[in-house]
Amino acid sequence: MKKVAFIFVTMMMLIACSESEKPFNYRGLPLVLTKGQFVDSMQARGFAIDSAASDSGKTVVFASSAEKYRVLMAHSGEKIIAVQENYAFSTNDSTRQLWQEIRDGLEKELGAWPDCPILKDDHKVAKFDASDGIITVTLENTYKPTMSVRYDPKTIKE
């Protein structure tokens, strides 16, 4: 009987260990990285630091000619506080379509429905509660259509 119990406990431990969750990430980059590691990873992906838009003490802005968005990383020391993609378009239709595509992609990836506190034609917000962070997709079609996707890691209180 002891052998059966031991085998059962061992199998349960193996199952529990094999189902480990991925850390909260931005496009595959875990947000538990240090600021320096994140900067190096973004540069390896072809993004350059926009020093004119960056605040050396709080934010770093990345730009790439191959992408249609800019990335802003807010930090405190070496800890990443938030990462945000910012899109700017010339027409409202293109941002509405992109908002829907990103929303649907996150819904599928996370396997969860978003909370949509604002859902109008020209202003939409979708908030996804991931296990250890919040992802917010915001569309604002005003005079200059803009859209952003923000990744906010949940802080662990020590």
Side-chain angles (χ1 to χ4, degrees):
M1 187 69 172
K2 287 183 181 180
K3 288 183 180 179
V4 172
F6 178 75
I7 291 171
F8 177 74
V9 170
T10 304
M11 287 179 51
M12 294 304 290
M13 287 176 48
L14 286 173
I15 291 170
C17 291
S18 66
E19 294 178 3
S20 62
E21 281 187 25
K22 293 180 191 176
F24 187 60
N25 68 76
Y26 166 73
R27 295 188 180 248
L29 293 176
L31 293 181
V32 293
L33 294 174
T34 64
K35 176 187 98 174
Q37 292 170 324
F38 189 86
V39 168
D40 291 343
S41 297
M42 289 297 288
Q43 289 176 330
R45 291 180 175 199
F47 284 85
I49 295 175
D50 181 350
S51 57
S54 298
D55 173 0
S56 62
K58 298 182 185 196
T59 61
V60 178
V61 177
F62 301 94
S64 170
S65 59
E67 299 295 342
K68 54 187 170 187
Y69 58 87
R70 295 168 62 88
V71 178
L72 179 136
M73 179 206 40
H75 61 90
S76 176
E78 283 295 309
K79 183 179 177 185
I80 297 173
I81 298 172
V83 174
Q84 181 171 314
E85 293 178 349
N86 294 313
Y87 298 78
F89 290 95
S90 58
T91 66
N92 290 345
D93 291 338
S94 55
T95 52
R96 286 183 189 127
Q97 180 181 355
L98 182 62
W99 185 88
Q100 191 65 47
E101 289 171 5
I102 290 175
R103 180 195 174 278
D104 292 347
L106 286 169
E107 187 178 302
K108 185 177 180 180
E109 179 184 333
L110 299 172
W113 288 85
D115 174 29
C116 295
I118 300 172
L119 202 55
K120 300 176 183 177
D121 282 343
D122 290 335
H123 190 191
K124 300 179 184 199
V125 175
K127 291 186 176 207
F128 291 89
D129 190 356
S131 60
D132 48 356
I134 303 285
I135 302 172
T136 306
V137 184
T138 305
L139 167 71
E140 294 180 290
N141 279 337
T142 54
Y143 298 107
K144 183 178 179 185
T146 60
M147 196 185 84
S148 65
V149 182
R150 183 178 170 106
Y151 296 76
D152 289 298
K154 292 179 182 175
T155 56
I156 299 171
K157 296 183 180 186
E158 298 176 10

